[in-house]
Every structure is written in structure tokens, then in C-alpha cells.
Amino acid sequence: MNVTVFSTLAFERPFLEQANAARHQVQFYEAALTDQTAPLAQGALAVSVFGADDLSAPVLAQLWAHGVRYVLVRAAGTDQVDLPAAHRLGLRVAHVPDYSPHAIAEHAVALMLALARHLRLADQQLRANDFCLDQLIGFELHGKTVGIVGVGHIGAVLARILHGFGCRLLGVDVQPNPDLTQRYDLQYVTLPELCAQADIISVHTPLTAQTRHLLDDQVLGSLKPGAMLINTGRGGVLDTAAALRALASGQLGYLGLDVYEAEKGLFFADHTRDPLRDEAFAQLLTYPNVLVTGHQGYLTREALAAIATTAVASFDAWASGQPAPHEL
């Protein structure tokens, strides 16, 4: 099968090549898929895309016209894909939903610990030869109430980790998992109840029309004063403007982000020579109690290998006339 890979990141290509083992003819492009770059897929039966790619109806129609019949998203999130349009055209779409819940959950905990123990400020002080501890008094995770918004595969792993820390666990999900209640004493509650009780909230819900800006002024205003919010899910679940207002008022005491609602065109690229034109993002970075990482939660050797393996398994299935492992 001929495959065109868009938005190829340098660090992921070796994993994809190793998983493929020359079974499929693969053409890699660093460029994102857009209406301008869609002709690069001419002659390919399948394309592989990432988070920044444009899979709107017009682009999907172009892909179909160029002979593409299969689309593989190298990520769990598929909000950038117009699935109804893809299905109308006859395009088969698959994604990689379970590459490593451990990678994301562990990164969420890393953000929690870094914020709780002021590691960003501690590092800055030490590098300036300042070893005073006055501004570095933190808090322990043990005994804290942590609310998990979206208790799927990642949320379940996070629950297990935090149970080991001795945290009290709350969860919000459309499909409660009684096994987590039995194993980790996780209590399912409503979102308002979670916000009122949680010292720390970790977001792992997918981005849908219902969850976009789920965390808005009203929800953030209902948090315990000084609460910590961690988002390693999807950037659009959090209203950035509302978060800035909550930080300014002190209602939000700590904010850890691995995703950002306007990250397209910003993350995954070197902008050291470019001015930062995103005023909201620049404002976030001025807060000492905000820690932002550039969508690196998934970035482990294990996760990259799993993504590549699942991607190639999808191509194998389609080439043999079978459904891919995770078709939508």
C-alpha cells in the first residue's frame, strides 16, 4: 500500500520506519495537510495525519479525488476530522486511542508535583546562585482530594497512581466504572460537586461540541479557592480567557497545561526567531504558578513505538481488505 504521511516530526520517523519494516511504500512530509498540500497525496491509497492537519470536508474531498481511500490519525483525538464528510465520501478513518495511557497520566502527575513543590522557581533561583527556601514552601499530594474529569483509560491509570499517593479520588464521566470505585475508592460525582471539593483537578475528557470550553468562568468560579487545574487532555476543553481571569483573581491557584486551545501553528515547531503573537499565551507565561509544556505528554519511547505499531497495523489491515483496529 502507498501511504503519504503528513506532519512528520523528526523524532517519530524512525519509529514509523522500524514498525513498517518496508512492508508499505511510505512517503514522509514535514508539511501539514491543508488544501494546498493535499496534492502531495496523489497516488497514495492512505494518508497518515496528526493534530495540526486540516481534515475538513473540502480537504477530504481533495484526498478522495486524488485516490485516497483511508485516513489514519496518529493520535487519540479526532476533532480535526469531519467524520460525517469522510463517511459520505466513503473514506475509512481510524485513529490510535490507546498508545500509552501511562505516558499521559505520568505527565499529569509530573505537572502536579512540579507546581506543588515550586520546581520552576526553585530551578531559576538555584541557577542565579540563590539557595534561599523562603518562597518554595509547597504542599503534599498525600491526603488531597483530586478530581478526574474524564475517567477513561488515562484517567484510570491516573487514579491508580494517585491512590498510591494517598489521595481521595473523585471522578466525572458519562460511563462510570465501578471497578475503579472498588479498587481505588474513586467516587463518581457531578462536575459542580467535584469542583467544590477537589484540591486538584485533572482533565482527560475528549474534545467534542459538548466539552468545548467545559471549563468556563462559571465552572472555574466554583472551584475551591486556590485549587490546582491540570489539563493534559485537549486544549479546547479549557476557556483560556476564563483561566486568565481565575488566575488574576486568585481563584485558580495553580495551572498546569500540556495542551492549549490555540496551539495549532505554535506547538511542535521552533519559534525562537519569531515574535510571540498570541497575547493570551504570553500572559499565561507571566504567572509563576503556571507551568506549560508543549504537548509532550505522549512523548515517551514506549508511546511513540505503540503509535507506530498501531498505525502500521491499520495499513496492514486495509491492505488485506480488513477493518483497521480502531476505525471510527
Side-chain angles (χ1 to χ4, degrees):
M1 174 180 286
N2 289 335
V3 180
T4 298
V5 180
F6 288 94
S7 295
T8 307
L9 300 167
F11 57 76
E12 67 170 340
R13 180 167 176 171
F15 291 92
L16 290 167
E17 290 177 333
Q18 182 176 0
N20 182 46
R23 293 202 299 277
H24 304 283
Q25 297 180 7
V26 181
Q27 183 67 49
F28 295 96
Y29 292 102
E30 293 182 7
L33 173 61
T34 67
D35 58 348
Q36 300 298 312
T37 61
L40 294 173
Q42 179 73 47
L45 197 58
V47 297
S48 178
V49 298
F50 198 53
D53 293 298
D54 179 1
L55 289 110
S56 59
V59 175
L60 292 172
Q62 277 201 61
L63 292 178
W64 179 268
H66 290 309
V68 173
R69 296 297 178 264
Y70 306 100
V71 176
L72 186 281
V73 182
R74 302 190 306 282
T78 57
D79 50 277
Q80 78 275 39
V81 186
D82 188 333
L83 286 173
H87 294 156
R88 285 195 300 271
L89 287 165
L91 283 165
R92 305 264 288 275
V93 181
H95 65 147
V96 185
D98 300 321
Y99 48 86
S100 179
H102 302 281
I104 309 299
E106 290 177 10
H107 194 75
V109 175
L111 290 172
M112 292 177 197
L113 290 169
L115 285 166
R117 301 307 295 269
H118 303 291
L119 296 188
R120 176 184 168 194
L121 177 59
D123 181 67
Q124 292 173 344
Q125 286 188 186
L126 185 143
R127 293 175 186 275
N129 213 30
D130 179 356
F131 296 88
C132 293
L133 302 179
D134 305 66
Q135 304 301 315
L136 303 178
I137 300 174
F139 66 87
E140 301 171 6
L141 264 61
H142 179 80
K144 298 300 183 293
T145 297
V146 182
I148 304 173
V149 180
V151 196
H153 294 296
I154 296 169
V157 173
L158 181 65
R160 184 175 68 192
I161 295 171
L162 294 175
H163 180 72
F165 272 87
C167 297
R168 172 180 174 240
L169 300 175
L170 304 176
V172 171
D173 200 278
V174 293
Q175 294 181 321
N177 182 351
D179 182 59
L180 299 181
T181 299
Q182 294 175 2
R183 286 175 177 266
Y184 312 124
D185 298 321
L186 184 146
Q187 179 185 0
Y188 285 95
V189 296
T190 65
L191 183 59
E193 290 174 318
L194 183 146
C195 291
Q197 299 180 51
D199 302 296
I200 302 169
I201 296 175
S202 191
V203 182
H204 302 279
T205 184
L207 181 62
T208 65
Q210 291 71 37
T211 63
R212 181 174 294 279
H213 284 187
L214 174 68
L215 304 178
D216 56 11
D217 283 299
Q218 180 178 354
V219 171
L220 296 179
S222 68
L223 299 180
K224 290 178 65 174
M228 177 188 293
L229 176 63
I230 304 293
N231 188 8
T232 56
R234 302 294 282 176
V237 175
L238 174 64
D239 181 340
T240 305
L244 286 168
R245 287 189 285 270
L247 286 166
S249 70
Q251 180 73 13
L252 189 57
Y254 307 84
L255 178 62
L257 302 177
D258 186 53
V259 291
Y260 174 58
E261 65 175 322
E263 68 181 56
K264 186 176 181 179
L266 179 63
F267 287 5
F268 302 109
D270 183 354
H271 296 288
T272 52
R273 297 184 178 182
D274 305 326
L276 183 55
R277 296 187 173 89
D278 188 325
E279 293 184 6
F281 189 76
Q283 192 173 350
L284 280 173
L285 298 182
T286 65
Y287 283 91
N289 54 341
V290 172
L291 181 58
V292 182
T293 53
H295 209 137
Q296 71 179 81
Y298 79 103
L299 199 62
T300 65
R301 290 187 293 272
E302 295 84 355
L304 289 169
I307 291 170
T309 299
T310 303
V312 174
S314 298
F315 303 144
D316 290 343
W318 285 330
S320 62
Q322 301 298 316
H326 303 286
E327 283 201 26
L328 298 165

